[in-house]
């Protein structure tokens, strides 16, 4: 057997801690649902009419993942770095064109996530009809807690909340998702062959806002767990 010679080290596949397991969960892709709570869609100035709209998605590079508890630099290129607290579905089985009735079979478990956002750049991109990458695909900008195994379980309710420096900024309930977890899995699987290790960040409730260097974020989702992020100074110019 020959060994392939690489010019530089191959990027590592990110892996996630799993509650109660010594094995870690390797990550494949990161999908994010836009505007999936009505009150957040309204605060963004883009209300959602589920009767005439479909969910939409963006992605982040797996290399943007950072584990809960990390201290990350305030990112370059923004003056309005926002938190978005989200329930994350961890896919554990493959599926393509899955029905809503079968969607639960793809669920390995759940995690708490932060979809960190350069809001200033995202809104410029949105309003100019440009891609959202600079607003969303941010180094250290996809924060994830440990994975909680709940195979086949569909979460339908539970408080989702976030504090900055101990002050409550977001508080809602997963029951207020516009598109439910089975609806999201079924819809996303019409575009992608979903694979184990795919993560679906299901959208944020209202109350998004900025953080500054020195701030600490902590969030929780009832029945899932908690997530923490510390925002440090920007890298020196
Ligand atoms: Mn989001």
């Amino acid at each position: 057997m020959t060994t392939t010679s690489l010019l530089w080290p191959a990027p590592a596949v990110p892996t996630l801690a799993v509650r109660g397991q010594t094995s870690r969960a390797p990550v494949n892709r990161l999908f994010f649902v836009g505007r999936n709570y009505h009150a957040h869609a309204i605060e963004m100035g883009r209300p959602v009419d589920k009767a005439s709209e479909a969910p939409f998605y963006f992605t982040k590079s797996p290399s943007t993942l950072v584990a809960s508890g990390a201290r990350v630099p305030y990112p370059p290129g923004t003056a309005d770095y926002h938190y978005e607290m989200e329930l994350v579905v961890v896919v554990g089985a493959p599926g393509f064109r899955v029905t809503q009735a079968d969607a639960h079979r793809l669920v390995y478990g759940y995690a708490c996530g932060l979809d960190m956002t350069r809001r200033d750049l995202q809104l410029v991109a949105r309003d100019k009809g440009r891609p959202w990458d600079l607003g969303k695909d941010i180094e250290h900008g996809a924060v994830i807690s440990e994975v909680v195994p709940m195979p086949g379980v569909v979460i339908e309710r539970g408080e989702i909340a976030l504090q900055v420096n101990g002050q409550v900024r977001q508080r809602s309930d997963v029951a207020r998702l516009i598109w439910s977890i089975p609806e999201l899995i079924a819809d996303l699987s019409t575009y992608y062959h979903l694979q184990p290790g795919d993560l679906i960040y299901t959208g944020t409730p209202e109350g998004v806002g900025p953080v500054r260097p020195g701030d600490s974020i902590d969030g929780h989702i009832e029945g899932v767990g908690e997530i923490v992020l510390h925002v440090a100074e920007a890298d020196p110019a």
Side-chain angles (χ1 to χ4, degrees), residues 32-35 40 58 84 86 115 117 136 201-204:
F32 292 75
V33 183
R35 297 177 210 138
H40 172 62
F58 56 91
E84 295 190 358
E86 311 205 358
D115 167 18
T117 301
K136 289 291 195 179
Y201 284 65
T202 57
T204 196

Side-chain angles (χ1 to χ4, degrees), residues 6 8-14 27 62-63:
L6 302 175
W8 44 77
V13 172
V27 174
S63 62

Side-chain angles (χ1 to χ4, degrees), residues 68-74 114 212-217 228-232:
S68 175
R71 180 177 301 278
V72 303
Y74 192 89
L114 295 171
R212 297 301 310 163
D215 286 348
S216 291
I217 300 169
V228 172
L229 184 71
H230 305 289
V231 180

Side-chain angles (χ1 to χ4, degrees), residues 103-141:
H104 65 280
R105 297 181 186 175
L106 271 63
V107 174
Y108 173 78
Y110 294 89
C112 298
L114 295 171
D115 167 18
M116 300 303 292
T117 301
R118 289 181 177 111
R119 188 72 68 204
D120 40 5
L121 300 194
Q122 183 213 2
L123 294 183
V124 167
R126 184 190 75 181
D127 295 342
K128 290 180 180 288
R130 293 174 177 167
W132 285 16
D133 299 51
L134 293 179
K136 289 291 195 179
D137 189 47
I138 303 163
E139 292 167 349
H140 319 294

